[in-house]
Amino acid sequence: MGSHRNALVAVVRQELAEARGSARALLAAAESARGEAQNRRRLVRDAYATCLSQLTAAREAARDDVQRRFQSEATRLAGHLRGLATTSATGAAGAPWRLWSPSEPDPGSRPGLLRIGAITFEETAALPGLVPLLDAVHLHVSGPSPQVDDLITGVLLRALGSTRAGDVHLTVYDPENLGGTLAPFAPLNPTFVGPGGLGSLLDDLADHICRVNESLGGQYPSLAELAAARPGPRPEPWKLVVLLADRATSVEMTTAQRAQLDRIVRTGVACGVHLVVRGLALEDDPTVERIVVRDQVATCDSLGSLEIRLDPPPPPERIAAFCRTTAERLRAGPDPARLADLEPAKYWAESSIDGLVAPIGDSTDGSLVEVPLGDDPPHALIGGPSGSGKTNLIYTWLGSLATRYGPEELALYLLDFKEGVSFARYVPGPHDPAWLPQVRLAGLNVNGDREFGLAMLRHLSEELRLRAQAAKRYDAGKLAELRAEDPTGHWPRIVAVIDEFQVLLDGRDAVADEAVALLEDLARRGRSQGIHLILASQDVAGIQALWGRAGLIAQFTLRIALPKARRILADDNLAAAVIPRFHAVVNTESGMSGANRIVRLPDAGDRNLWRGVQRRLWRDRPAGCAEPRLFDGDAVPTLPAALRPSGRVPSTDAPVGSSPGAVLGERIDVAAQPARLRLGRMPGRNLAILGTRTEEACDVLAAAALSLAAQGPAHFSVMCLDPTAGPAATRLFAELPSADWYDVGDLDFALAPRDIPHYVVGYALDAARDPGLRKLLAEGPEQRIHVLGWWRSVPRLRDDLGGIGARFDTIGAWVALDVQGADLSPLYPQPGGPVWYPRPRRALFFDRSVHRTPEVIIPYEVNSDHT
């Protein structure tokens, strides 16, 4: 029994031991698994913390980048908006009240927006809060009355201050305060409508809108479009109607009045009628801008949910000062048009086929006064005493024409006979290369060169002849018909302006006689070929001279008289005697009473104001537009480089043209051609220069010799018998490619013939006293030896030719300097000598084989750039 128990205990113990071993193994495995799990949990937690930190850093970086880009874009957009706001509300329309002052809009500009406050957004600088009004919308303002009234006061002041005086007519309906709400505007004399006057006010506005619609005639959709299309003042002022309605107004308003108000809302903006309404409901319409005010903050339809912090009301003293100043300007009338007001909306858009029309100023009501030139009237006469503004008028007229008609439509020929450079602004200068593209010719300081005026008239006469011939080929008698049939012909209308024209007609000489004949022909026949004359004078005697030529004065039906002008208008037309300064009388009926138009002239004398316009026209000139021909009577032309020898004379084998031409000076003509003397193998082909002006005589000799040397092989003999001419003779000798030198001690007139022309250039040949000179003059030309000599007087030349009774046949051409016309009678084919009054840097040239009458030339300056 005991052993059985012991065995059983042993078995149990054995099983317990095995169970404990198994339990220990399981516990160890569980402990190991728990350790591994705890390690994995720690690793996961560490990884989570790392990821969370990285995600947090990335999120912050992304947030910072978004915020930075947001701030940059917001700042950029705010800058753009601020720039747009600045251009949309310029001057008085957008300036803060502390900097505010009235400003006038640029000509042709549209009304902009008006500032009522500022918009703050995030951290950007405040933006101006702007609302539209003129030519855009009606304003409906709601909110507390004091704040609304302050806002309306500011809007009115900005609208009035940013437009021209008189362009806005103010009407106020304020039954509650009897107009006291807007009392500071009383100096402007607005229309105040009292209680019970709303119905008649609405009826008047509706009638006005109907009248404006009829005047538009369907051609323009709105008054704003009409004003933009036509230069000058606005055709109708804006009507700005402020309705400050009280509760009784809204209650007592009839159905007819409500319908009338709705009609004004729909159609008023297009006709320049704008409502600014408080306390009265307006129907929904695209032209209604609603502004809601509360606690000095406003919202409006055009800005959506953006809030505008309202500006404080304008200081009362600023309103009063503005209204007083504006009222004074209104009483004084509108300012005269500026030169810029006369410019068209687009340059060079007009055609001159049917004539030229351009404004030169405005009338007292502000409308521009246009001056025509065409078949009727064809030509113009301008008169006014010194200081009356004649030059300013011409500047204005030419500027207005030049901006309307391009170089292919208009050609200008300008001549100024008074002592000055009035037309110098239209040609290239030393500091400004720009010129007016329409100018073909400009003559300055020509009071001493009537010959150039005659040359211009001859040029125009030739142009008239060519146009008349072309018109006959096309079987068309008028320029308009010719150009219509041949649009590629480009026949521009010519306008020739001659200031102080009486200088050209002064005197009883050949110049005056021919000038009168040419003027009469141009005035009579030029109208049909597009050639128009504008004659201007401040000399009553000069204008009086025209009245004695009925055939000429009758063609000048356009008369423009400046203050105190006489003999421009008809004798019974006294308008010029009563007009003030800076005004003119325009009359297209030959000065007859009843056809006067009074024009106020702008100030066109400031060259800087004109320079910008001219540079723009110059930059836009068409290809091939040539620089104008400039003749300045005070300028001395230099010998062109092409007329100087460029190097060694060609060999004798080179072909030699017959009759080389010696250049003596510049001809006084339109083409600026040199005056030439042909020296062929004919008797008398010698040149005598007569006078005591040493410098000019030396220049004529040098120009002749150098130009001959430039034409081919030749030999020269330089003879200097006057010490004062020594430097000039020495310079000439050094520049000639082949020359001999002679002075008083070694004179030799027995010159042998050569295979090439031989020219004897003699300085003060009257000092030679050598019989060989007479023989050389007589026999030399047939042997190709020609004398180009300077004699200091005609009697000394006579002595060298044989004394009293000597013949001058050996002198085929002569150039007279300071020699009176009567002294030239021995050398002139007609008795008494030519009509010639010597003047500085002018010479009289006569070639008996070419000329019937001598011509005036300008000796070239030869040695100014040579040492």
Side-chain angles (χ1 to χ4, degrees):
M1 190 70 178
S3 59
H4 178 70
R5 184 183 296 113
N6 290 333
L8 184 59
V9 170
V11 173
V12 171
R13 286 179 177 174
Q14 181 64 33
E15 291 178 353
L16 289 173
E18 291 176 357
R20 284 197 297 273
S22 298
R24 289 190 188 95
L26 291 172
L27 178 62
E31 289 290 341
S32 176
R34 189 186 71 170
E36 290 179 0
Q38 288 177 341
N39 187 44
R40 285 198 300 274
R41 184 181 67 178
R42 186 173 60 256
L43 292 176
V44 169
R45 284 182 175 178
D46 290 346
Y48 169 75
T50 301
C51 288
L52 186 62
S53 176
Q54 291 176 347
L55 288 174
T56 301
R59 183 187 66 185
E60 292 300 325
R63 179 181 294 171
D64 291 343
D65 182 61
V66 169
Q67 186 68 22
R68 184 170 55 256
R69 286 190 286 112
F70 170 78
Q71 290 292 343
S72 176
E73 188 70 12
T75 302
R76 185 179 66 83
L77 290 176
H80 288 174
L81 290 174
R82 193 173 293 105
L84 289 174
T86 301
T87 57
S88 300
T90 59
W97 293 126
R98 61 186 178 83
L99 304 175
W100 189 90
S101 62
S103 61
E104 285 198 1
D106 294 330
S109 61
R110 296 288 187 90
L113 305 178
L114 304 175
R115 175 184 171 122
I116 62 172
I119 303 171
T120 56
F121 182 75
E122 296 294 335
E123 297 179 1
T124 61
L127 299 172
L130 307 177
V131 295
L133 181 56
L134 298 179
D135 283 343
V137 298
H138 306 287
L139 291 184
H140 181 272
V141 190
S142 59
S145 292
Q147 297 179 25
V148 169
D149 293 344
D150 289 344
L151 186 150
I152 291 175
T153 300
V155 167
L156 293 180
L157 184 57
R158 291 191 183 279
L160 293 166
S162 57
T163 55
R164 291 186 177 88
D167 277 359
V168 177
H169 184 268
L170 183 61
T171 301
V172 178
Y173 172 71
D174 184 14
E176 186 174 7
N177 294 317
L178 300 178
T181 305
L182 299 177
F185 294 94
L188 294 179
N189 196 26
T191 301
F192 286 103
V193 179
L198 180 60
S200 59
L201 171 61
L202 297 178
D203 291 339
D204 291 342
L205 293 176
D207 291 341
H208 174 77
I209 291 171
C210 290
R211 181 178 59 79
V212 172
N213 275 324
E214 290 177 359
S215 67
L216 293 175
Q219 184 178 2
Y220 298 97
S222 68
L223 196 62
E225 296 295 333
L226 174 61
R230 297 183 179 178
R234 183 177 172 84
E236 289 278 352
W238 287 285
K239 284 188 173 295
L240 193 53
V241 183
V242 183
L243 303 180
L244 304 178
D246 55 2
R247 183 171 299 179
T249 301
S250 181
V251 172
E252 297 171 0
M253 197 170 186
T254 65
T255 304
Q257 291 173 350
R258 169 57 61 181
Q260 200 77 294
L261 178 61
D262 294 343
R263 187 177 299 112
I264 294 169
V265 168
R266 292 192 303 271
T267 62
V269 170
C271 297
V273 176
H274 298 273
L275 304 178
V276 178
V277 180
R278 181 207 71 187
L280 196 64
L282 296 183
E283 70 171 359
D284 290 333
D285 190 87
T287 62
V288 176
E289 174 84 356
R290 301 185 187 275
I291 303 175
V292 180
V293 179
R294 58 181 179 276
D295 297 329
Q296 292 298 320
V297 174
T299 57
C300 60
D301 294 342
S302 58
L303 295 178
S305 60
L306 291 176
E307 294 184 343
I308 305 173
R309 175 65 60 180
L310 295 176
D311 288 336
E317 62 276 7
R318 183 153 294 170
I319 301 176
F322 164 76
C323 292
R324 285 195 302 269
T325 303
T326 304
E328 292 173 358
R329 292 182 59 189
L330 288 173
R331 285 192 295 270
D335 292 334
R338 299 172 297 175
L339 191 61
D341 296 333
L342 307 184
E343 296 178 10
K346 183 179 179 181
Y347 285 176
W348 295 354
E350 302 293 333
S351 170
S352 64
I353 288 181
D354 297 319
L356 302 168
V357 179
I360 61 170
D362 63 355
S363 60
T364 52
D365 63 1
S367 61
L368 294 181
V369 176
E370 294 183 331
V371 177
L373 274 180
D375 287 346
D376 186 24
H379 311 292
L381 184 62
I382 301 173
S386 178
S388 61
K390 175 170 56 66
T391 301
N392 180 70
L393 168 62
I394 294 174
Y395 284 161
T396 302
W397 198 354
L398 293 181
S400 188
L401 286 170
T403 54
R404 278 166 174 74
Y405 301 95
E408 295 166 345
E409 302 291 334
L410 172 66
L412 296 174
Y413 289 77
L414 311 175
L415 206 58
D416 183 7
F417 274 105
K418 65 177 179 294
E419 296 181 3
V421 289
S422 297
F423 297 135
R425 60 164 57 187
Y426 301 122
V427 296
H431 305 295
D432 188 359
W435 74 84
L436 189 61
Q438 291 89 342
V439 175
R440 302 291 196 271
L441 176 145
L444 315 178
N445 296 308
V446 294
N447 55 304
D449 291 295
R450 299 162 64 226
E451 296 83 5
F452 185 76
L454 188 60
M456 188 190 80
L457 294 180
R458 289 170 178 166
H459 175 79
L460 294 179
S461 182
E462 177 65 15
E463 182 72 18
L464 174 62
R465 185 185 66 82
L466 294 175
R467 292 190 177 195
Q469 288 181 349
K472 289 180 181 179
R473 288 200 303 270
Y474 283 88
D475 193 23
K478 294 185 178 180
L479 175 68
E481 298 171 4
L482 173 62
R483 290 186 62 180
E485 293 188 18
D486 182 22
T488 61
H490 291 303
W491 292 88
R493 286 191 180 264
I494 292 176
V495 175
V497 182
I498 307 179
D499 196 6
E500 301 302 333
F501 69 92
Q502 74 278 355
V503 175
L504 182 60
L505 308 183
D506 279 348
R508 297 181 178 273
D509 56 11
V511 173
D513 293 341
E514 185 178 357
V516 170
L518 290 172
L519 280 175
E520 288 181 345
D521 185 56
L522 288 169
R524 180 172 49 86
R525 298 195 299 133
R527 63 193 306 166
S528 63
Q529 304 302 333
I531 298 178
H532 309 284
L533 303 174
I534 300 177
L535 304 184
S537 177
Q538 65 182 16
D539 188 345
V540 177
I543 297 174
Q544 182 72 26
L546 288 181
W547 288 94
R549 297 177 172 93
L552 180 58
I553 193 64
Q555 303 297 327
F556 289 82
T557 55
L558 174 58
R559 311 286 177 82
I560 302 180
L562 294 158
K564 304 299 184 291
R566 291 186 292 168
R567 302 296 290 166
I568 291 292
L569 306 177
D571 292 340
D572 60 346
N573 191 344
L574 305 179
V578 297
I579 59 174
R581 259 186 104 189
F582 311 117
H583 286 65
V585 180
V586 177
N587 188 300
T588 58
E589 300 293 338
S590 299
M592 300 300 293
S593 299
N596 295 333
R597 293 195 68 188
I598 308 301
V599 56
R600 299 185 302 173
L601 302 173
D603 181 9
D606 190 340
R607 183 164 184 167
N608 292 327
L609 293 177
W610 168 251
R611 187 172 295 160
V613 177
Q614 179 163 290
R615 284 180 177 173
R616 178 179 169 185
L617 298 177
W618 178 65
R619 288 193 298 266
D620 295 340
R621 69 191 186 277
C625 185
E627 184 175 317
R629 154 72 163 132
L630 171 62
F631 177 84
D632 186 350
D634 288 348
V636 180
T638 59
L639 182 67
L643 299 180
R644 291 179 180 271
S646 57
R648 185 181 297 276
V649 174
S651 65
T652 56
D653 297 332
V656 179
S658 61
S659 300
V663 171
L664 307 178
E666 184 176 282
R667 300 182 64 189
I668 300 181
D669 61 7
V670 171
Q673 295 294 322
R676 294 180 182 271
L677 169 64
R678 293 296 174 183
L679 297 174
R681 302 182 67 169
M682 297 172 289
R685 291 288 83 192
N686 301 303
L687 171 68
I689 301 166
L690 305 169
T692 60
R693 293 203 290 257
T694 303
E695 181 181 354
E696 294 179 23
C698 292
D699 280 342
V700 175
L701 283 174
L706 293 174
S707 61
L708 289 168
Q711 296 177 53
H715 188 78
F716 295 86
S717 294
V718 180
M719 300 181 178
C720 183
L721 309 181
D722 184 357
T724 60
T730 303
R731 284 194 294 266
L732 175 63
F733 175 75
E735 192 169 352
L736 291 172
S738 175
D740 300 325
W741 176 265
Y742 299 89
D743 54 23
V744 177
D746 57 357
L747 281 179
D748 184 8
F749 291 106
L751 302 176
R754 296 174 178 265
D755 295 334
I756 58 175
H758 187 177
Y759 302 105
V760 177
V761 183
Y763 292 82
L765 286 181
D766 53 284
R769 303 296 181 180
D770 190 325
L773 175 59
R774 188 187 316 165
K775 181 179 180 181
L776 183 62
L777 289 170
E779 301 176 0
E782 296 184 56
Q783 301 174 11
R784 303 178 72 182
I785 303 175
H786 306 275
V787 176
L788 311 176
W790 166 38
W791 281 266
R792 286 168 287 193
S793 70
V794 175
R796 291 194 177 190
L797 173 62
R798 181 191 293 110
D799 292 342
D800 286 342
L801 296 178
I804 298 175
R807 296 178 59 86
F808 288 82
D809 295 344
T810 57
I811 303 298
W814 46 266
V815 174
L817 301 173
D818 55 341
V819 181
Q820 296 296 328
D823 296 337
L824 295 169
S825 58
L827 294 160
Y828 195 60
Q830 299 178 8
V835 179
W836 168 242
Y837 303 99
R839 53 190 192 266
R841 209 66 199 187
R842 297 295 183 270
L844 195 66
F845 170 44
F846 181 77
D847 182 351
R848 69 173 66 245
S849 66
V850 175
H851 292 134
R852 294 182 60 187
T853 58
E855 66 172 318
V856 180
I857 64 172
I858 307 175
Y860 286 117
E861 191 171 54
V862 179
N863 298 314
S864 61
D865 56 345
H866 290 266
T867 58

